[in-house]
Amino acid sequence: MFAKPFRVKSNTVIKGSDRRKLKADISAAFPSLSADELSELVPNKEELNVVKIYAHKGDAVTLYVLHKNPLFFELEKRLYPTVYVLWRYPALLPTFRTWPPVLQKMIGGADLMLPGVVVPSSGLPDVKQGDCCAVTVVSNRAPVAVGTAAVSSAEMHSSGMKGRGVCVLHTYMDNLWAFGDKSGPPSLPDEEVEKCVEEEWGSGKTVTDQVCSGTEELSLAEQEEEKGEKGNEEEEETQDDLKTPQEIMDTLLVQCFLHALKSKVKKSELPLLTSTFLRNHMFSCCPSGKQLDIKKSSYKKLSKFLHTMQQQHNLVRVKELTKGVESIVEVDWKNPELRSFSVPEEMDSEAAPVQDEGEGQTPYHPPEITTLYSVSARLEPLFLDANKRKGTILQPAEVRSIVTEYVKKNELVDENNKNYVTINPTLCDCLLEKSEYQEIESLKWDDLFSRTLGRMQECYQAVFPGQAPIIKKGHIEPIDISVASRGSNKKVTLIKNLEVYHLDPAVVATALQHRVQASSVLQPIPGAKDKVMVQIQGNQIHQVGSLLLDHYQIPRKYIQGLDKALKGGKKK
């Protein structure tokens, strides 16, 4: 439910009468809590907030927040504890156990499937369908997920432990957890589970077998029957072969992270923008033949990954030095995990170019930007013969080729004038307006192509040296340069969208500062996450343009605002 960001509707301090009602509701929902424990969760004199939110699918949810941590969430008039509460009271709910790789699936929004459940010697907890329950990972009793039982315990056994076990609502590392202080789960050893693991190993069934069966169902997110018995060949598979693509990307992410800290980042660079760290250091540490894509990892976002490295590994300290902009402010160079990390041999001789402090020896290479087109629903019938469905992205030349082939295949070239194409019912529906249905019987080739491209979704592809192509819908944002007034007679130059072209705003600001001998600062852009703008004193558009055009070789058509430069030395 909270795998994606939610929208906050209101945030208010709870009233006295509502506080008493909440305490009564918690007591009724979780009768095992003592009076003292209830008072700790809902103290009489401390500020408790009621936060009403809308989940990404539109569900209305109420959060009860104490000391900035959400303790309970209410959905359809039913209370559920968060992991912050369960870490204090791990026995509050009946608990199912699973393997660590399955947690990553649940964080991504998957439910817990029964093949991924570890059954201890004491058996499964006694639950009915719909009962609130928790999920832990082996060897730690601290819950990492909350949900409802998909079926009763009896039905779980009768199904042969196949199908959906827990409908997951909230997990450690999701957006509800991130609404709190983002602390990690405590270490609460579970001797019974450790014994269970030893028994599994002793019986010849490996932990990897358990993980594979659980994550396979989770990745499909549906109830599938296992077909056939596992052969002897399966026992010879390596753990790498059994890893999911998400786990492989997680491993690659950590490798590039440690490599970057150990061989790229210098103490003098700190504090270092997290976006710069990823772009200039981690990407350059990616082995050849592999592509680092944080969206394909279990973390999805750089901020979540770095906070994990901070909370669970104590490798770095991340801080928001400017509102909305995070930086790495400290690296623990003595961390055993970092010190023991060995740079892969294949990377020893590789050194991808990075931006230096503005105008140094390593040249910046601008991206190659290409306009592309995506097949729209309206034009899909025209592209079906070429097996191009809605959403397929094509080069302009490919569009021309497919349209030409369609015209020839359907014999639509005008016999009397080969410069014209006869309009058949498909072309009529795809390319003509309703008012043109009775008026236009043929089109020139150029008109045919321009109408086709005009009714497709325009996209662009940006290729940066040493990186996989980036394809996005719409037009690429130009670097925006503007002049604003500050006070009665002061002007500042603002530069936005540098990140789109993989230009580090901090580096550009330093370069400009050296060029014009004026102070510069980085400012957050309202409503734009992970973006900042450079602000430098005076009308410096001429110098900014010179830096972007001459030094960074950005094509003029991708720079907006150059016409606002001072002319002839006169002040505006």
Side-chain angles (χ1 to χ4, degrees):
M1 168 165 280
F2 304 105
K4 295 183 179 180
F6 52 77
R7 179 167 62 90
V8 176
K9 179 185 177 184
S10 64
N11 186 343
T12 58
V13 177
I14 198 169
K15 299 177 182 178
S17 57
D18 291 335
R19 187 188 296 259
R20 290 190 293 272
K21 181 180 182 302
L22 174 62
K23 186 178 288 188
D25 290 344
I26 295 173
S27 179
F30 310 103
S32 62
L33 290 171
S34 66
D36 290 340
E37 290 170 337
L38 282 171
S39 296
E40 287 181 5
L41 291 171
V42 189
N44 293 326
K45 296 184 179 181
E46 294 185 46
E47 185 174 294
L48 183 68
N49 289 66
V50 180
V51 181
K52 295 188 177 182
I53 66 171
Y54 288 113
H56 72 279
K57 289 187 177 179
D59 298 298
V61 184
T62 302
L63 311 180
Y64 296 97
V65 181
L66 178 68
H67 301 151
K68 297 183 179 181
N69 278 343
L71 300 185
F72 294 90
F73 62 98
E74 187 175 348
L75 175 65
E76 296 178 349
K77 298 183 179 181
R78 183 176 180 182
L79 281 173
Y80 299 88
T82 68
V83 290
Y84 291 111
V85 167
L86 293 177
W87 292 341
R88 293 165 65 180
Y89 309 104
L92 185 63
L93 298 177
T95 302
F96 292 87
R97 299 177 178 90
T98 189
W99 304 103
V102 180
L103 170 60
Q104 302 301 326
K105 296 290 183 181
M106 293 190 293
I107 291 172
D111 291 331
L112 175 63
M113 310 304 284
L114 290 173
V117 173
V118 178
V119 182
S121 57
S122 57
L124 292 173
D126 185 16
V127 296
K128 298 177 182 178
Q129 184 177 10
D131 282 358
C132 187
C133 49
V135 180
T136 64
V137 294
V138 292
S139 76
N140 192 353
R141 290 188 300 110
V144 291
V146 180
T148 59
V151 292
S152 66
S153 303
E155 290 174 299
M156 292 179 188
H157 284 296
S158 63
S159 69
M161 294 300 289
K162 293 178 181 178
R164 186 172 282 103
V166 177
C167 300
V168 176
L169 296 174
H170 156 55
T171 68
Y172 163 57
M173 294 288 283
D174 68 6
N175 284 276
L176 180 56
W177 166 84
F179 196 68
D181 62 15
K182 301 179 183 179
S183 56
S187 179
L188 304 173
D190 192 328
E191 296 178 359
E192 184 179 18
V193 174
E194 290 176 353
K195 181 181 179 182
C196 171
V197 173
E198 290 176 3
E199 290 173 354
E200 294 288 357
W201 277 97
S203 65
K205 188 173 184 180
T206 68
V207 173
T208 305
D209 291 333
Q210 287 276 9
V211 174
C212 185
S213 63
T215 56
E216 183 181 359
E217 286 215 23
L218 279 166
S219 64
L220 296 173
E222 59 186 7
Q223 300 179 22
E224 293 186 343
E225 297 294 326
E226 291 184 350
K227 299 178 181 180
E229 296 294 327
K230 295 183 177 180
N232 293 331
E233 295 175 355
E234 203 172 68
E235 297 177 3
E236 298 174 359
E237 290 182 316
T238 64
Q239 288 199 20
D240 284 341
D241 294 331
L242 292 173
K243 283 185 177 180
T244 66
Q246 199 174 63
E247 291 176 87
I248 294 172
M249 186 56 67
D250 285 356
T251 302
L252 180 61
L253 200 61
V254 173
Q255 176 186 317
C256 295
F257 171 77
L258 293 172
H259 185 177
L261 290 183
K262 190 154 189 174
S263 61
K264 302 288 183 181
V265 178
K266 299 177 181 178
K267 192 172 183 180
S268 59
E269 292 183 81
L270 302 179
L272 177 65
L273 287 173
T274 57
S275 57
T276 301
F277 174 69
L278 174 67
R279 185 166 58 247
N280 290 352
H281 297 313
M282 286 185 65
F283 278 146
S284 67
C285 293
C286 187
S288 59
K290 295 185 179 181
Q291 179 184 344
L292 190 64
D293 189 343
I294 201 163
K295 291 183 179 179
K296 292 181 181 179
S297 72
S298 63
Y299 303 97
K300 306 302 180 188
K301 293 183 180 180
L302 177 63
S303 58
K304 184 175 285 189
F305 170 73
L306 291 177
H307 283 177
T308 301
M309 295 299 103
Q310 173 176 294
Q311 297 286 348
Q312 297 184 16
H313 299 262
N314 297 317
L315 284 160
V316 293
R317 188 162 68 89
V318 179
K319 192 174 181 181
E320 196 176 86
L321 296 180
T322 307
K323 187 176 180 182
V325 182
E326 291 187 329
S327 297
I328 296 174
V329 297
E330 187 178 326
V331 177
D332 184 3
W333 310 103
K334 296 181 180 179
N335 184 287
E337 187 175 357
L338 182 59
R339 295 183 68 176
S340 63
F341 176 77
S342 298
V343 175
E345 292 182 5
E346 62 185 84
M347 297 295 292
D348 284 345
S349 60
E350 295 182 11
V354 298
Q355 291 179 58
D356 62 344
E357 288 298 315
E359 304 177 64
Q361 298 175 353
T362 304
Y364 164 83
H365 296 287
E368 295 180 8
I369 300 169
T370 308
T371 300
L372 303 174
Y373 293 89
S374 172
V375 177
S376 62
R378 180 176 176 178
L379 264 63
E380 190 174 37
L382 180 57
F383 289 86
L384 278 179
D385 287 348
N387 199 29
K388 304 299 182 185
R389 301 284 179 175
K390 176 187 174 184
T392 303
I393 294 175
L394 303 168
Q395 298 271 1
E398 292 178 288
V399 176
R400 293 178 69 93
S401 176
I402 291 170
V403 172
T404 302
E405 183 63 28
Y406 175 85
V407 170
K408 291 181 178 179
K409 181 179 179 181
N410 290 276
E411 300 179 349
L412 299 176
V413 178
D414 193 312
E415 293 181 357
N416 299 321
N417 188 341
K418 297 187 182 298
N419 291 326
Y420 283 83
V421 174
T422 302
I423 300 299
N424 68 354
T426 298
L427 291 177
C428 179
D429 291 340
C430 291
L431 303 180
L432 300 187
E433 301 295 337
K434 287 185 178 180
S435 60
E436 298 174 324
Y437 284 0
Q438 305 301 322
E439 299 176 3
I440 298 179
E441 296 181 354
S442 62
L443 290 172
K444 283 187 175 182
W445 279 102
D446 286 346
D447 195 9
L448 183 74
F449 293 136
S450 63
R451 283 175 179 251
T452 302
L453 293 174
R455 284 161 175 75
M456 298 180 76
Q457 168 72 57
E458 188 169 328
C459 311
Y460 71 88
Q461 173 181 278
V463 180
F464 293 88
Q467 297 183 30
I470 298 171
I471 298 177
K472 292 187 178 182
K473 291 182 179 180
H475 300 274
I476 189 169
E477 293 180 284
I479 296 175
D480 182 73
I481 311 171
S482 60
V483 176
S485 297
R486 295 288 187 267
S488 59
N489 195 29
K490 291 184 179 179
K491 294 189 181 297
V492 293
T493 302
L494 307 175
I495 312 154
K496 303 176 185 176
N497 298 331
L498 292 167
E499 298 90 344
V500 176
Y501 298 82
H502 287 200
L503 285 169
D504 185 350
V507 173
V508 173
T510 302
L512 287 171
Q513 195 169 358
H514 292 163
R515 281 194 173 207
V516 302
Q517 297 300 305
S519 63
S520 64
V521 293
L522 300 181
Q523 299 282 4
I525 301 176
K529 194 173 182 181
D530 298 328
K531 280 188 177 183
V532 296
M533 62 180 170
V534 175
Q535 175 180 304
I536 189 164
Q537 286 184 345
N539 185 332
Q540 309 294 352
I541 289 182
H542 179 74
Q543 291 291 348
V544 174
S546 174
L547 180 68
L548 295 175
L549 292 168
D550 301 332
H551 180 68
Y552 290 122
Q553 299 293 307
I554 301 293
R556 183 177 289 271
K557 64 180 178 179
Y558 299 123
I559 304 174
Q560 177 177 288
L562 292 176
D563 56 319
K564 299 171 186 174
L566 289 172
K567 297 178 182 179
K570 295 181 180 180
K571 293 185 178 180
K572 290 187 177 181

